[in-house]
Amino acid sequence: MFQQAPPTLGNQYDDDRVLRSYLGHVLPGDVMEEVEESLREMGRLAGADLYELQLADRLNEPTLTQWDAWGNRIDKIEVTPLWRLAERIAAEHGVVATAYEQTHGSLSRVHQCALAYLFTPSTDIYSCPLAMTDGAARTLLNSGNQELIDRAVPHLITRDPNEFWTAGQWMTELTGGSDVGLSETIAKPEADSKSFRLYGRKWFTSAIASQIALTLARPEGNPPGGRGLALFYLETRDEHGRPRNIQINRLKDKLGTRKVPTAELTLDGTPAQLVKGPTDGVRNIAPLLNITRLWNGISAVSLMRRGLALASDYARKRVAFGAPLSEKPLHRDTLATLQAETEAAFHLAFYVAELTGQSETSEILENDARLLRILTPVMKLTTGKQSVMVASEVLETFGGAGYVEDTGLPVLLRDSQVLPIWEGTTNVLALDTLRALHGSDNGLAPFESAITRCLEIVQDSRLADAVRVVRSALDHAGRWLADAERAGPEEMEGGARRFALTLGRTMELALLIKYAQLSHDCAAARRFASSGIDLIVDYDPNDVSDLL
Ligand SMILES: Cc1cc2nc3c(=O)[nH]c(=O)nc-3n(C[C@H](O)[C@H](O)[C@H](O)COP(=O)(O)OP(=O)(O)OC[C@H]3O[C@@H](n4cnc5c(N)ncnc54)[C@H](O)[C@@H]3O)c2cc1C
């Protein structure tokens, strides 16, 4: 009787041509030698032990126990076996720590992101608590609050699993996740006026099993709006493991990320400390969001890569109409398009990792600091959309099997769908991109010079058409921006998403071209160049009114 061989994974580092080639270009030879073993080991874990446990853990979900047998409110969260192992492996392998040890200066961020990229697809979004842990460490370090730095940062960046803490980030309230200036949580000062107690409701709090959280609240008497909020540090449980005046009302019943315990909370006098001043909380939490947005992009690329690794393997095993799918021209063409999209996203996410690393070691030039400010939202929104598209197509490459839960495939799509939503939706980040550009006179200049740096090395004539596509999209983006500025806020806001996605895809193509030139492998750049780079269209606001 016919038996279909399932898709399997090998060492996820050794099998990843794009990752190895990229690292070979950006890391000096001695650094590559030093980091390669850690990546190969993570690639082995991701393709073997972790992946096997992930499949076995499929039906497990975190649980919330609100009361003990004697009527005490305990609000205990239990995560699944995969997450317990993921926490240990993440600490021991330095999936956060590597960025702070800075053994290789700014390139440590690239090394860390490569570890996260390999680790993420086999650990069911354990990247979520790690992203917030990393972001909290960066925020506390930037805050200059020595007491909190000494208290928390060593736990956040340790490699000892027994000492390791994770952090939550509690911003979203019922009033809004995008418009957090509407937050209703109040901070009442204690007698020493140094510490506060928080009262309010937080509506989406992921990784609720974390030991600490950074959160926003309005000190009593502060004005409404974002400026009146302050950034607070809190520890979630006391020395007996009891919640510190925090009630976990329920865990969200979500489409995906089901291993992530995302809770609704009531803060009822939760002790908290100011991180940095009694106002400007939204501005002060920005370092955390920059890091979690980088993680979001790395996660997007890693899920795309995982889907393609499985789809490519399956195509070699699945026979239809007399030959393996891997020999069918149309199936090959479909996979090639997805591969180009994935490589494009990969280079953009890792470029932001490089710039982030430079900004953390003060190696960054002023122009590149402005570029990083523009590219962080652009990268997050672009790769988030790409991951959903690729995951959806990957499922289709498996036919019916892609729709069946115990293949372990549908979770790729469900988990990808969160990436354009949390840490800033596509629209919200598109508007943020416009704000980033308005920080200076010629806002697009850092972006344009980054594109020029990619293109100026090109000699291979096979890349000529792709170079033309980049130049034309960049030119169109510049013209649109100038026209929209003249036309007014409605045109500007209305076109922001198409504009930001065009910037993202243009930068991706320029980076693909650069690495095509360096590796003499032009296929991804040539294919991606014809995959819709310039998405800007002129639209009449009246059409929008007619349509709605
Ligand atoms: C699984 C999951 C886990 C989460 N974990 C956390 C967490 O740990 N901590 C936390 O703080 N939050 C968390 N969130 C919340 C998340 O960050 C918010 O859901 C998100 O920021 C959007 O906010 P909202 O849900 O209030 O939507 P809204 O802000 O109401 O947005 C609704 C829609 O309106 C659009 N929109 C909003 N403003 C504009 C505008 N000016 N112009 C055009 N369009 C606009 C948005 O793009 C969106 O499509 C989580 C969410 C999910 C799904």
Side-chain angles (χ1 to χ4, degrees):
M1 208 195 319
F2 175 75
Q3 196 70 44
Q4 177 59 52
T8 50
L9 295 174
N11 183 310
Q12 290 302 283
Y13 174 71
D14 287 330
D15 289 355
D16 196 328
R17 166 184 59 80
V18 179
L19 173 65
R20 284 187 295 109
S21 167
Y22 164 76
L23 292 176
H25 288 300
V26 296
L27 301 182
D30 56 332
V31 175
M32 184 71 179
E33 247 174 59
E34 282 177 46
V35 305
E36 194 161 36
E37 208 34 54
S38 68
L39 297 171
R40 182 159 289 123
E41 175 57 9
M42 188 59 87
R44 187 192 68 72
L45 285 167
D49 309 29
L50 281 169
Y51 182 52
E52 281 160 30
L53 181 55
Q54 182 183 34
L55 293 176
D57 197 63
R58 190 176 63 79
L59 294 176
N60 296 326
E61 296 203 343
T63 56
L64 165 64
T65 307
Q66 287 174 314
W67 304 96
D68 74 4
W70 308 103
N72 298 303
R73 184 90 195 227
I74 52 170
D75 287 351
K76 192 168 169 214
I77 301 277
E78 290 270 11
V79 297
T80 76
L82 176 67
W83 262 45
R84 288 200 291 277
L85 178 63
E87 176 172 311
R88 187 166 64 70
I89 288 180
E92 285 174 350
H93 291 255
V95 182
V96 174
T98 302
Y100 294 89
E101 292 160 353
Q102 294 195 341
T103 312
H104 305 294
S106 70
L107 292 171
S108 295
R109 199 33 103 178
V110 174
H111 179 198
Q112 180 229 4
C113 284
L115 286 169
Y117 164 84
L118 293 167
F119 171 87
T120 293
S122 295
T123 49
D124 285 343
I125 315 293
Y126 194 73
S127 52
C128 169
L130 294 182
M132 295 190 289
T133 302
D134 189 348
R138 173 50 52 213
T139 307
L140 291 174
L141 286 168
N142 284 10
S143 74
N145 184 329
Q146 204 54 46
E147 191 186 334
L148 292 183
I149 293 172
D150 292 344
R151 167 90 186 136
V153 173
H155 289 287
L156 301 176
I157 65 172
T158 181
R159 285 180 183 249
D160 178 353
N162 300 317
E163 292 293 318
F164 186 51
W165 287 0
T166 57
Q169 171 259 108
W170 304 348
M171 291 176 70
T172 305
E173 300 194 2
L174 271 97
T175 44
S178 310
D179 191 1
V180 286
L182 297 173
S183 296
E184 293 178 324
T185 298
I186 293 294
K188 297 189 180 190
E190 297 274 74
D192 64 2
S193 70
K194 247 184 84 187
S195 35
F196 287 75
R197 290 201 176 250
L198 308 187
Y199 298 84
R201 282 171 82 187
K202 296 290 173 183
W203 191 233
F204 275 94
T205 57
S206 287
I208 189 59
S210 295
Q211 287 82 356
I212 68 162
L214 296 187
T215 190
L216 297 177
R218 196 176 309 281
E220 267 184 332
N222 271 19
R227 284 214 57 201
L229 292 170
L231 177 60
F232 286 91
Y233 165 94
L234 61 85
E235 294 182 5
T236 53
R237 296 191 180 252
D238 65 17
E239 60 279 15
H240 307 292
R242 286 185 301 244
R244 303 176 89 213
N245 300 354
I246 300 168
Q247 284 156 21
I248 304 181
N249 301 326
R250 64 168 187 152
L251 297 184
K252 299 273 195 199
D253 184 7
K254 297 172 289 178
L255 169 71
T257 68
R258 293 191 68 93
K259 298 291 158 87
V260 183
T262 303
E264 296 166 14
L265 304 180
T266 299
L267 308 183
D268 189 17
T270 311
Q273 282 169 265
L274 283 172
V275 174
K276 194 181 176 188
T279 57
D280 295 302
V282 177
R283 193 171 68 202
N284 292 336
I285 204 168
L288 189 150
L289 298 179
N290 290 336
I291 295 290
T292 54
R293 286 169 185 167
L294 170 61
W295 273 82
N296 206 86
I298 297 291
S299 300
V301 182
S302 76
L303 293 181
M304 292 158 79
R305 157 72 194 151
R306 170 57 52 87
L308 269 169
L310 293 168
S312 305
D313 185 65
Y314 188 67
R316 286 189 286 273
K317 294 171 172 166
R318 178 72 172 169
V319 173
F321 301 102
L325 292 171
S326 58
E327 291 173 18
K328 298 285 177 193
L330 182 51
H331 198 78
R332 289 163 62 80
D333 189 79
T334 306
L335 291 178
T337 299
L338 300 181
Q339 178 67 25
E341 199 76 25
T342 302
E343 292 189 27
F346 175 96
H347 284 296
L348 181 56
F350 273 88
Y351 187 38
V352 172
E354 287 171 46
L355 293 168
T356 302
Q358 289 165 21
S359 74
E360 291 170 320
T361 49
S362 309
E363 285 171 21
I364 200 161
L365 304 170
E366 195 191 328
N367 210 37
D368 283 345
R370 283 166 55 207
L371 176 66
L372 176 61
R373 170 69 186 92
I374 299 165
L375 280 188
T376 298
V378 163
M379 179 278 293
K380 193 277 187 187
L381 70 87
T382 307
T383 56
K385 283 288 175 207
Q386 287 173 305
S387 70
V388 178
M389 185 279 276
V390 168
S392 171
E393 290 285 354
V394 158
L395 263 51
E396 191 178 334
T397 67
F398 285 88
Y403 205 67
V404 172
E405 288 288 355
D406 57 3
T407 60
L409 295 166
V411 70
L412 284 171
L413 178 58
R414 290 191 273 107
D415 285 355
S416 296
Q417 183 62 66
V418 86
L419 297 171
I421 295 177
W422 66 12
E423 307 305 340
T425 61
T426 309
N427 282 358
V428 165
L429 291 181
L431 297 174
D432 187 51
T433 305
L434 293 180
R435 274 195 297 280
L437 292 173
H438 278 114
S440 59
D441 280 353
N442 180 3
L444 261 185
F447 186 86
E448 287 162 353
S449 62
I451 297 274
T452 304
R453 289 201 296 267
C454 291
L455 299 189
E456 68 193 5
I457 64 163
V458 175
Q459 289 174 341
D460 194 323
S461 59
R462 291 173 299 166
L463 295 167
D465 284 346
V467 168
R468 267 195 291 280
V469 172
V470 170
R471 292 217 165 100
S472 151
L474 184 60
D475 183 52
H476 195 189
R479 277 187 284 115
W480 177 85
L481 190 62
D483 290 349
E485 268 165 0
R486 274 193 296 276
E490 191 178 348
E491 277 73 4
M492 191 75 134
E493 284 195 25
R497 174 197 277 247
R498 285 184 287 270
F499 171 72
L501 282 168
T502 299
L503 292 188
R505 295 180 75 80
T506 304
M507 192 72 238
E508 286 182 343
L509 180 55
L511 289 164
L512 277 178
I513 290 170
K514 171 181 158 184
Y515 286 102
Q517 180 62 50
L518 293 173
S519 63
H520 306 292
D521 179 355
C522 301
R526 286 160 60 83
R527 169 68 56 137
F528 189 65
S530 57
S531 301
I533 304 301
D534 181 356
L535 303 179
I536 296 172
V537 289
D538 294 329
Y539 85 100
D540 181 345
N542 294 325
D543 290 349
V544 176
S545 302
D546 290 347
L547 283 163
L548 298 178

